[in-house]
Amino acid sequence: MASILDEYEDSLHRSVSVQPGRASVGIPHSGYVNARLEKETPIFNKQRIDFAPPEKINSLVVSSNQLCMSLGKDTLLRIDLGKPDEPNQVELGRKDEAKVYKMFLDHTGSHLLIALNTSECLYLNRSVQKVRALSRWKGHLIESVGWNKFLGSETNTGPILVGTSQGQIYEAEISVSEGSLFSTNPDQYFRQVYTLEEESGPAPVCCLEIERGIEGKFFIIATTRKRLFQFVGKVPEGTEQQGFSSIFAVHADHLPSFREFPANLGFSEIAFYTPKLRSNPRSFAWMMGNGVLYGTLDYSRPDSILSDERVWVYPSDIDITVNKPISIVLTQFHFLLLLPDRVKAVCTLNGQVVFQDLFLEKFGSLTRMIKDPTVQQIWIHTEKVVFRYHVQRESRDVWKMYMNMNKFDLAKEYCKDRPECLDIVLAKEAEHCFQNKRYLDSAKCYALTQNYFEEIALKFIEAKQEEALMEFLIKKLSNLKPSEKIQTTLLTTWLTELYLNWLGVLQGDPSQRNLYLDTREKFRTFLSSPKNKDCLFNNRASIYELLASHGDTEHMVYFAVIMQDYERVVAHHCQHDEYDEALNVLSRHRDEKLFYKFSPVLIQHIPKKVVDAWISMGSRLDARNLIPALVNYSQSASTQQINEAIRYMEFCVYQLEETQQAIHNYLLSLYALCRPDSLLSYLEQAGTNPNRIHYDLKYALRLCAEHGHHRACVHVYKVMELYEEAVDLALQVDVDLAKSCADLPEDDEELRKKLWLKIARHVVQEEKDVKKAMACLSSCALLKIEDVLPFFPDFVTIDHFKEAICNSLEDYNKHIEELKREMEEATQSAKRIREDIQEMRNKYGSVEPQEKCAACDFPLLNRPFYLFLCGHMFHYDCLLQAVFPNLPAYKQAKLEDLQKKLAATSQPSKSHHRPKDADTVSLGKGQQSREQIKADIDDIVAAECVYCGELMIRSIDKPFIDPQKYEEEMQSWL
């Protein structure tokens, strides 16, 4: 193990990471430099308000961004902090010497109560300008107010609690009338519900707070100078508007629970921290004589809401007899104490002063400190100046305190966005767990730190904690980046070695069986992890060597399956004669190449199962690549085993419809070897069309001839159209087979006759069966008795041929009679044709003088014309004009040539001195030629009526207007 670590360290000499003050070689990590480039902003950042009051400030309250301050004797200033440039000044309208004692502003900033030192109380609503006196409150010096945060609104306070300097607690309600500015009495009622006492009697009610817990339970906290009281009870549902009298009534005969401290400041003040708007407070701080009582608020407790209480004594420089604290404000992790000349912030986690702000004497003595719970701003004022504190990132250093308190989960929670701090916390937690012998937890934490890898690894090695070391390596491996391939490789290899060592130790101990199974499952999970897949695949050779060196064949096979190295898995099963397992792997993963490689081995031992697997693969396997395996197998196997090869070949041919010639040829060879009957049926099923046959005809012919399958040879001959060879071979088998071959060349009568003569010769000469020879004559109409007679020997009597000869003579007589009948019919037809011609020559038609040409509609008799049987009549030139464009090109050329010849014959002779006989002869020849030309022209022009003949039918799709003249015709219509 140490050697692996040394190798690991040496391999990382190029990966150097630097942390402040030291350098190391190891797994690269980001060193955190703890330098601050600029001064960090304080948690409590003070700001002086640019405000110069015209009179001294008596009191100041703020809530929901609404600030109210009392100036001098009779002035009240209200400021909406969202609009600080629009202050509102209200006059109290007092003519006596009364002064503002305290002011109370509710959580909405809508209701302001002004307690006067004359035991009077005034009320001012945010929406009005006039201050109203609360007559029912007169005679009571108000010390505290408990606002109702659950039923109050901008116009109505709901039931509230009021504490006086005499210890009485009153319940009251103030409402603004909707009909007028105020009703006659804005205070709806004012009734006493309880009196707080100390040892000496009634004591001032310094603070009041109303909170509601779960299930409608209310908690009321009231404090005096030395005591903190809690009133707990439920207000019946639907009676909340009736107030809290029922809660106080429970304690009419006995004191409620309270906390008491001996020292006395002469007053006390309690502050609450509310994390979110409109949520319940989560913690409290009560400033009293002995210090600050701090705790959390647990609303699920039945009798007391206070929890986790502790008392933080005041810092040593605070003497309650000289400079006692004036006010307290609570934030999430600190409470602030207001002294006459300074502010101190104390951490609630350890009671240490973490902040102190000293005020100059020119500002005067500090008077009051309050916090706006809605915006978490802290306000401090003197008689001259107002200051405001902004709380910024209060939790920035809380992690240190939690860490020092060994509350590591909380420490990590508050530095999760600061990795440099989180690293310190994790390192401290890891060291803490290691010291307490919680090695696994320590390993998990160390893996998340930036501490040096080799130091941590050696630490676990020296402690002989291999399981913790493995946990550390696993976590470290999971945190590596994909680019850190060398580190990933080394960690993966090291973990594999550790797992194998650990499994080897556990396997030999029967008492550790459960631990062995658990470790084995973890190791397999490690090997199959998707994140490690690439690394394991790239270094699979090393992993195989490790597995082999430990003799762990089980995990070697498991790892090969994960790496999809199925070749190794199948080879392993084959080497151990586990042929069924090997076939199962092949069938499960359906890798064609592996089937090709291992089929020669598997088919020797489990042929039927292998063929079933091939069939299940279907068309994914190329049967040509399996033929070598089948050939080797069939050469050394029995007929029964060869049937498996035939079964697969038949599946390829009939089910997959394979057309590869090699497959069909091999099936033929198997049929020829073991199944002759199937051979002939296969050949017949393949058909006789050479273009649709997938086997090699010559190979099939040679194969059938070698094995003496003559009928199959005859079939192949027929497919090859070698009919003579087919008949010759068929005559050796069966005459009927030869006869079926002889009739195949249907288009070649000469060949067919030749083949039948072969059959006849064989029947006469070889079988010497005259009856069969005569049957051949009846089977083939091409054979005559005279064709067969030469085959018979001389000693054969005519009796054997008598019937055949008679039949032949009768056929000849019938043929002669048929010829005579055909000659007579031809003579009659010729005679009728001559009569029809003569009749046509004598046929005529009559034309009336008023008849007109069907084309031009002019009188017909003015020019040469044609008369058709249908009754249409055309001038010669009109008919020619209509017919000529529709004639084929060659007829147009011929017609033009005939017209030229006709014109040439009609020219007068230039010689007037020819002999009479010569002229007569010349005229006769010219007249004959002219008549012939006219007849030829008539044959072309007047072959049919232009309106009734085929010419009109052929022109049905011809446009009425010639496309070439369409534009011209269209323009003529515009």
Side-chain angles (χ1 to χ4, degrees):
M1 187 180 300
S3 62
I4 294 178
L5 180 58
D6 295 337
E7 178 185 353
Y8 184 87
E9 296 172 1
D10 294 339
S11 67
L12 299 174
H13 65 280
R14 290 176 297 176
S15 300
V16 179
S17 65
V18 179
Q19 286 188 342
R22 58 178 179 172
S24 173
V25 178
I27 289 185
H29 51 78
S30 58
Y32 300 119
V33 179
N34 235 353
R36 296 179 179 177
L37 299 180
E38 59 183 12
K39 187 177 180 180
E40 192 172 17
T41 306
I43 295 176
F44 302 101
N45 187 20
K46 182 174 67 175
Q47 176 189 8
R48 178 181 175 183
I49 304 301
D50 186 13
F51 171 71
E55 299 180 77
K56 68 175 184 178
I57 303 174
N58 298 323
S59 181
L60 182 146
V61 289
V62 60
S63 180
S64 295
N65 248 1
Q66 302 294 319
L67 184 146
C68 301
M69 67 175 68
S70 170
L71 302 176
K73 177 183 176 182
D74 197 48
T75 303
L76 188 67
L77 187 64
R78 295 188 296 183
I79 301 175
D80 184 348
L81 297 178
K83 304 174 183 177
D85 297 333
E86 302 177 8
N88 176 248
Q89 184 171 324
V90 179
E91 299 298 330
L92 297 182
R94 303 289 295 189
K95 302 299 182 180
D96 54 13
E97 296 299 323
K99 294 181 181 180
V100 174
Y101 175 64
K102 285 185 179 181
M103 293 197 303
F104 308 93
L105 185 63
D106 79 316
H107 62 286
T108 66
S110 301
H111 307 283
L112 177 65
L113 290 174
I114 307 164
L116 303 180
N117 60 355
T118 58
S119 298
E120 295 178 85
C121 192
L122 307 178
Y123 171 75
L124 179 63
N125 190 277
R126 184 170 64 180
S127 60
V128 299
Q129 286 288 106
K130 187 176 181 181
V131 178
R132 298 288 295 179
L134 302 177
S135 59
R136 291 188 174 92
W137 296 41
K138 192 172 182 179
H140 301 284
L141 182 61
I142 307 302
E143 290 285 350
S144 59
V145 175
W147 296 103
N148 193 326
K149 294 179 285 187
F150 315 104
L151 296 177
S153 65
E154 293 185 359
T155 59
N156 188 289
T157 62
I160 62 174
L161 297 177
V162 180
T164 69
S165 60
Q166 299 301 316
Q168 297 97 349
I169 298 177
Y170 288 87
E171 185 179 75
E173 182 177 359
I174 302 173
S175 178
V176 178
S177 174
E178 297 181 359
S180 61
L181 186 61
F182 284 103
S183 62
T184 306
N185 293 311
D187 47 338
Q188 301 296 310
Y189 62 87
F190 189 76
R191 58 175 174 259
Q192 183 178 352
V193 292
Y194 202 80
T195 300
L196 296 183
E197 294 184 354
E198 293 180 351
E199 302 94 333
S200 58
V205 183
C206 298
C207 298
L208 281 171
E209 181 74 14
I210 304 171
E211 296 297 338
R212 183 169 62 183
I214 58 177
E215 299 179 354
K217 185 180 292 186
F218 280 87
F219 297 87
I220 299 173
I221 297 175
T223 67
T224 62
R225 293 166 296 188
K226 297 167 57 177
R227 291 182 177 181
L228 186 151
F229 295 87
Q230 292 185 75
F231 299 89
V232 183
K234 286 187 177 181
V235 176
E237 187 176 354
T239 64
E240 290 89 349
Q241 199 67 38
Q242 297 178 10
F244 308 103
S245 301
S246 59
I247 297 176
F248 290 99
V250 175
H251 303 283
D253 299 329
H254 63 276
L255 288 175
S257 62
F258 64 90
R259 294 293 307 275
E260 183 176 13
F261 293 89
N264 183 0
L265 291 174
F267 65 95
S268 70
E269 184 173 343
I270 191 169
F272 295 89
Y273 169 70
T274 305
K276 295 180 181 179
L277 188 64
R278 294 187 178 86
S279 64
N280 290 332
R282 290 292 179 263
S283 57
F284 74 98
W286 180 38
M287 183 182 72
M288 43 75 184
N290 291 85
V292 175
L293 177 66
Y294 173 80
T296 59
L297 300 178
D298 186 356
Y299 296 92
S300 63
R301 300 181 66 180
D303 300 324
S304 174
I305 193 175
L306 308 182
S307 177
D308 299 330
E309 302 171 51
R310 68 181 70 177
V311 176
W312 296 116
V313 298
Y314 294 120
S316 59
D317 60 342
I318 297 180
D319 184 356
I320 62 173
T321 61
V322 179
N323 59 340
K324 58 185 176 182
I326 302 170
S327 293
I328 187 171
V329 163
L330 180 62
T331 63
Q332 186 176 6
F333 297 105
H334 302 86
F335 59 83
L336 282 72
L337 296 174
L338 181 70
L339 301 171
D341 61 345
R342 70 193 64 191
V343 172
K344 287 181 177 290
V346 179
C347 179
T348 58
L349 299 177
N350 56 13
Q352 299 296 317
V353 176
V354 297
F355 172 80
Q356 180 171 277
D357 194 5
L358 187 64
F359 288 77
L360 300 177
E361 292 182 2
K362 66 176 183 178
F363 297 136
S365 178
L366 300 180
T367 306
R368 183 82 191 282
M369 177 174 61
I370 55 175
K371 185 181 74 168
D372 186 345
T374 58
V375 294
Q376 303 298 325
Q377 292 179 347
I378 300 170
W379 296 79
I380 297 176
H381 73 91
T382 68
E383 292 182 349
K384 304 176 182 179
V385 186
V386 178
F387 297 93
R388 178 170 58 189
Y389 281 96
H390 293 275
V391 182
Q392 298 180 338
R393 296 177 57 236
E394 183 182 4
S395 61
R396 67 182 72 172
D397 294 324
V398 170
W399 62 272
K400 292 181 183 178
M401 302 170 192
Y402 280 129
M403 181 183 70
N404 294 331
M405 298 164 63
N406 292 334
K407 295 183 177 181
F408 299 108
D409 291 337
L410 290 173
K412 288 183 284 188
E413 180 68 23
Y414 285 102
C415 62
K416 59 185 177 182
D417 56 344
R418 299 170 66 184
E420 70 281 2
C421 302
L422 180 61
D423 185 68
I424 298 173
V425 175
L426 289 169
K428 183 70 178 292
E429 182 181 8
E431 185 64 27
H432 176 77
C433 293
F434 193 90
Q435 296 297 332
N436 288 276
K437 301 186 183 305
R438 293 163 48 201
Y439 296 110
L440 286 177
D441 293 335
S442 177
K444 293 176 182 178
C445 293
Y446 269 131
L448 299 175
T449 68
Q450 302 299 321
N451 289 21
Y452 302 115
F453 172 84
E454 54 271 26
E455 293 180 1
I456 300 170
L458 287 172
K459 195 170 186 177
F460 286 115
I461 292 172
E462 292 171 357
K464 297 182 180 181
Q465 294 295 325
E466 290 192 5
E467 188 176 1
L469 176 61
M470 290 168 60
E471 184 68 27
F472 170 69
L473 295 179
I474 290 171
K475 294 294 183 181
K476 205 68 179 176
L477 178 62
S478 65
N479 293 333
L480 289 179
K481 299 177 182 178
S483 59
E484 297 172 330
K485 295 183 179 179
I486 297 176
Q487 294 86 338
T488 302
T489 300
L490 291 172
L491 285 180
T492 302
T493 307
W494 192 2
L495 276 168
T496 303
E497 175 71 18
L498 290 174
Y499 268 120
L500 291 174
N501 287 336
W502 188 238
L503 286 172
V505 172
L506 295 175
Q507 192 172 17
D509 188 353
S511 63
Q512 300 291 332
R513 179 63 180 172
N514 292 333
L515 181 58
Y516 168 77
L517 295 176
D518 184 58
T519 305
R520 186 184 67 173
E521 187 62 29
K522 289 181 180 179
F523 181 44
R524 292 186 174 185
T525 303
F526 167 73
L527 292 177
S528 59
S529 172
K531 187 172 183 179
N532 302 332
K533 183 177 181 181
D534 291 340
C535 177
L536 291 171
F537 181 80
N538 294 332
N539 300 279
R540 58 189 182 279
S542 301
I543 303 298
Y544 282 132
E545 291 178 3
L546 282 174
L547 292 167
S549 67
H550 285 266
D552 195 341
T553 57
E554 179 186 1
H555 284 106
M556 182 181 291
V557 173
Y558 181 82
F559 180 69
V561 172
I562 293 173
M563 293 294 102
Q564 297 184 357
D565 189 1
Y566 303 118
E567 182 177 352
R568 185 182 294 269
V569 177
V570 177
H572 170 81
H573 289 309
C574 290
Q575 289 171 3
H576 292 78
D577 297 335
E578 299 171 351
Y579 302 109
D580 288 332
E581 290 297 326
L583 184 60
N584 289 337
V585 174
L586 291 177
S587 301
R588 187 162 54 249
H589 300 288
R590 308 175 72 84
D591 189 332
E592 300 88 349
K593 294 181 180 178
L594 295 182
F595 267 103
Y596 301 146
K597 182 171 182 177
F598 291 100
S599 288
V601 176
L602 296 176
I603 200 170
Q604 299 290 337
H605 301 87
I606 47 173
K608 185 177 184 307
K609 293 181 179 180
V610 171
V611 172
D612 290 339
W614 289 352
I615 291 175
S616 67
M617 288 288 288
S619 59
R620 294 183 61 177
L621 290 179
D622 188 347
R624 292 177 301 175
N625 296 330
L626 297 173
I627 289 177
L630 291 171
V631 170
N632 294 333
Y633 169 66
S634 61
Q635 288 177 351
S636 60
S638 64
T639 302
Q640 183 63 30
Q641 292 172 324
I642 293 177
N643 288 335
E644 294 299 329
I646 294 177
R647 181 162 70 94
Y648 180 64
M649 289 293 104
E650 287 179 339
F651 169 76
C652 295
V653 171
Y654 298 121
Q655 300 297 324
L656 301 183
E657 299 181 354
E658 285 283 357
T659 59
Q660 296 294 332
Q661 192 177 78
I663 297 173
H664 287 263
N665 288 346
Y666 183 59
L667 181 59
L668 272 176
S669 68
L670 295 175
Y671 280 151
L673 183 63
C674 297
R675 295 187 185 177
D677 295 339
S678 299
L679 172 64
L680 184 59
S681 63
Y682 165 78
L683 294 173
E684 291 175 348
Q685 187 174 354
T688 58
N689 187 347
N691 297 326
R692 296 183 179 179
I693 288 176
H694 304 303
Y695 57 85
D696 187 342
L697 290 169
K698 294 181 180 179
Y699 173 75
L701 184 62
R702 179 173 61 81
L703 195 66
C704 296
E706 288 178 357
H707 291 83
H709 304 311
H710 296 306
R711 286 184 178 273
C713 287
V714 170
H715 180 82
V716 176
Y717 276 133
K718 290 192 295 184
V719 176
M720 299 173 68
E721 297 184 355
L722 299 175
Y723 301 116
E724 291 191 44
E725 290 81 351
V727 170
D728 290 340
L729 185 59
L731 288 174
Q732 300 177 19
V733 180
D734 186 8
V735 174
D736 292 334
L737 180 61
K739 289 179 180 180
S740 64
C741 295
D743 283 332
L744 291 177
E746 297 177 355
D747 299 332
D748 192 346
E749 292 186 356
E750 182 179 352
L751 177 58
R752 194 146 52 96
K753 183 176 181 181
K754 182 178 179 181
L755 298 177
W756 276 103
L757 286 174
K758 282 178 176 287
I759 297 172
R761 181 187 292 113
H762 174 81
V763 171
V764 173
Q765 295 179 353
E766 301 296 332
E767 298 186 4
K768 302 185 186 303
D769 191 337
V770 178
K771 292 184 179 180
K772 278 189 178 182
M774 295 301 101
C776 290
L777 294 178
S778 61
S779 299
C780 180
L782 299 177
L783 291 183
K784 304 297 181 183
I785 186 61
E786 57 267 28
D787 298 326
V788 180
L789 285 177
F791 303 147
F792 290 96
D794 296 337
F795 58 83
V796 178
T797 61
I798 197 171
D799 293 341
H800 295 89
F801 314 111
K802 180 178 179 181
E803 183 178 355
I805 292 173
C806 293
N807 291 335
S808 180
L809 292 175
E810 288 179 1
D811 291 339
Y812 282 131
N813 288 332
K814 290 180 181 179
H815 186 60
I816 291 171
E817 292 296 328
E818 184 70 23
L819 292 176
K820 286 182 179 180
R821 185 167 57 255
E822 289 178 359
M823 291 175 63
E824 290 178 358
E825 290 178 356
T827 302
Q828 294 296 326
S829 297
K831 181 178 179 181
R832 285 195 297 271
I833 291 172
R834 284 195 294 271
E835 291 175 353
D836 291 342
I837 292 173
Q838 187 62 35
E839 183 179 354
M840 289 297 295
R841 287 178 177 174
N842 298 327
K843 194 169 184 179
Y844 65 91
S846 60
V847 178
E848 299 295 332
Q850 67 273 14
E851 294 290 347
K852 296 182 179 181
C853 174
C856 65
D857 204 32
F858 280 93
L860 184 67
L861 299 179
N862 290 349
R863 299 197 299 276
F865 63 91
Y866 288 100
L867 172 64
F868 292 94
L869 294 177
C870 61
H872 289 115
M873 293 168 281
F874 302 92
H875 289 126
Y876 167 76
D877 54 344
C878 293
L879 183 61
L880 180 64
Q881 184 178 1
V883 171
F884 186 81
N886 297 289
L887 292 175
Y890 75 93
K891 284 192 176 184
Q892 291 181 353
K894 184 177 180 181
L895 183 58
E896 290 177 350
D897 183 58
L898 290 173
Q899 286 178 328
K900 291 179 181 178
K901 289 182 179 180
L902 182 62
T905 57
S906 62
Q907 293 179 359
S909 177
K910 297 181 180 180
S911 175
H912 300 282
H913 303 288
R914 293 182 180 177
K916 182 178 178 182
D917 294 340
D919 292 342
T920 303
V921 173
S922 177
L923 182 60
K925 291 180 178 180
Q927 185 69 24
Q928 184 181 4
S929 178
R930 182 180 176 83
E931 291 298 328
Q932 184 62 40
I933 292 171
K934 284 185 176 183
D936 292 342
I937 292 174
D938 290 344
D939 289 341
I940 296 173
V941 176
E944 59 182 0
C945 174
V946 71
Y947 287 171
C948 301
E950 293 184 4
L951 182 64
M952 181 59 67
I953 297 173
R954 288 197 300 271
S955 66
I956 191 169
D957 58 347
K958 184 179 179 181
F960 290 108
I961 302 174
D962 189 347
Q964 297 178 354
K965 299 180 180 180
Y966 179 79
E967 292 295 334
E968 180 182 350
E969 186 69 22
M970 186 175 65
Q971 292 295 331
S972 67
W973 282 80
L974 298 178

